[in-house]
Amino acid sequence: MKTIQGLLKLKNQDEKISMVTCYDFTSAKIVNESDIDLVLVGDSAAMVIHGYENTIPASINMMATHVSAVHRGLPNKFLVADMPFLAHRKDRDTVMISVETIMKAGANSVKIEGGKGHIDIIRHIVESGVPVMGHLGLTPQSVNMVGGWKVQGRTDDVATQLIQDAQDLEKAGIFALVLEMVPADLAKKVTEGLDIPTIGIGAGPDTSGQVLVLQDLLGMNPEFNPTFLRKYADGFSVIKDALNEFTSDVKSGNFPNEEESF
Ligand code: KIV
């Protein structure tokens, strides 16, 4: 699946869509060989790769560096890349230079958090030939506004606004919408009201697809255990055990052996 048309086809066939984040060339080569439908270079790179406490430090340069590395390892998949904190809230020319940088680094589309206040620029980006993915619910770039990593849309007011934003974004031309940390019944309602696919993270089972951060689903961080996460491997232990085995072989003189020497 390498096109937005292919993605829409999955939704229309009632086939769930799988999306995963990716930030580097080596992982991209593995993801490229997998059954994953769609790949996101998320601004979560700021946290997962660079160790920041939130996504606010992500910049266009940081995103472009990761997009370019992932793109080189991922010829078979459609690549979405986040517009980082405030990148879409500048004057139109500056926004378009940022979009151009991300796309020329190898993305097939950009993802933009939120809706209210930047529907016009989203429409302009789409009309310029760049597919845009929306992102509503918990929008981590607004973490200081919403007061933490909390489920969004539990009150009627916020839920009504979210439904309205989703419809405005669809009218502006987005091709898919991420719903993060929203109650399952609200995610279902939003999904049923749209023609485009929704991709959930902490949004229950009724979205058109699901996304997880690669390192989260691989179990690389034993301290990160949110309700919505299912770990498909114990990556932390696998890597730690391999490192310990290597150290033990080095210390015992078991590595390298004759065949591993020139
Ligand atoms: O940056 C990111 O990883 C994301 C996903 C959680 C959807 O936006």
Side-chain angles (χ1 to χ4, degrees):
M1 206 285 303
K2 197 45 197 160
T3 61
I4 53 176
Q5 291 73 15
L7 189 72
L8 254 171
K9 201 165 150 201
L10 292 184
K11 162 162 174 140
N12 292 334
Q13 287 169 183
D14 275 334
E15 182 176 337
K16 295 275 188 184
I17 297 158
S18 66
M19 179 162 101
V20 73
T21 67
C22 189
Y23 316 102
D24 68 281
F25 174 73
T26 304
S27 307
K29 285 184 68 171
I30 302 171
V31 174
N32 190 57
E33 297 299 317
S34 74
D35 296 333
I36 289 284
D37 293 312
L38 200 58
V39 180
L40 169 69
V41 179
D43 59 353
S44 50
M47 302 170 75
V48 178
I49 303 300
H50 297 270
Y52 290 109
E53 142 186 37
N54 55 44
T55 59
I56 290 172
S59 63
I60 287 291
N61 282 348
M62 183 193 285
M63 295 307 300
T65 302
H66 290 293
V67 168
S68 142
V70 171
H71 167 70
R72 285 192 285 273
L74 200 88
N76 300 342
K77 310 279 180 191
F78 191 85
L79 186 58
V80 186
D82 262 326
M83 287 284 277
F85 182 58
L86 295 186
H88 49 284
R89 299 291 303 200
K90 312 267 166 86
D91 64 87
R92 185 184 275 203
D93 287 351
T94 309
V95 172
M96 293 314 288
I97 289 168
S98 297
V99 170
E100 188 177 356
T101 304
I102 299 278
M103 295 299 285
K104 284 187 173 164
N108 300 113
S109 80
V110 296
K111 175 162 81 59
I112 294 181
E113 290 190 7
K116 231 174 148 202
H118 43 273
I119 294 291
D120 286 345
I121 191 73
I122 288 175
R123 186 178 301 107
H124 179 69
I125 297 169
V126 173
E127 284 171 358
S128 307
V130 176
V132 176
M133 176 179 273
H135 183 156
L136 294 174
L138 177 70
T139 47
Q141 292 167 13
S142 311
V143 65
N144 289 305
M145 202 69 188
V146 296
W149 309 92
K150 294 179 188 157
V151 175
Q152 302 295 308
R154 282 207 156 122
T155 62
D156 285 350
D157 284 2
V158 180
T160 306
Q161 182 64 53
L162 198 146
I163 292 168
Q164 185 60 53
D165 285 347
Q167 272 158 12
D168 291 347
L169 283 167
E170 182 174 64
K171 275 194 210 117
I174 63 164
F175 71 95
L177 176 66
V178 167
L179 292 172
E180 179 164 357
M181 299 272 282
V182 299
D185 55 348
L186 176 58
K188 183 169 193 266
K189 204 166 163 188
V190 172
T191 302
E192 284 170 354
L194 298 175
D195 291 327
I196 55 166
T198 57
I199 318 260
I201 174 162
D206 296 311
T207 49
S208 323
Q210 300 289 332
V211 55
L212 285 175
V213 165
L214 179 65
Q215 281 75 356
D216 294 348
L217 83 83
L218 293 179
M220 304 291 272
N221 182 357
E223 282 134 46
F224 187 62
N225 296 297
T227 307
F228 65 79
L229 176 60
R230 186 179 297 176
K231 295 185 181 179
Y232 289 87
D234 183 0
F236 185 90
S237 300
V238 168
I239 293 175
K240 195 177 101 178
D241 291 350
L243 293 172
N244 287 346
E245 209 179 317
F246 166 63
T247 301
S248 153
D249 282 351
V250 169
K251 289 190 186 291
S252 68
N254 190 32
F255 176 82
N257 61 22
E258 230 173 85
E259 288 91 69
E260 290 154 340
S261 305
F262 298 105

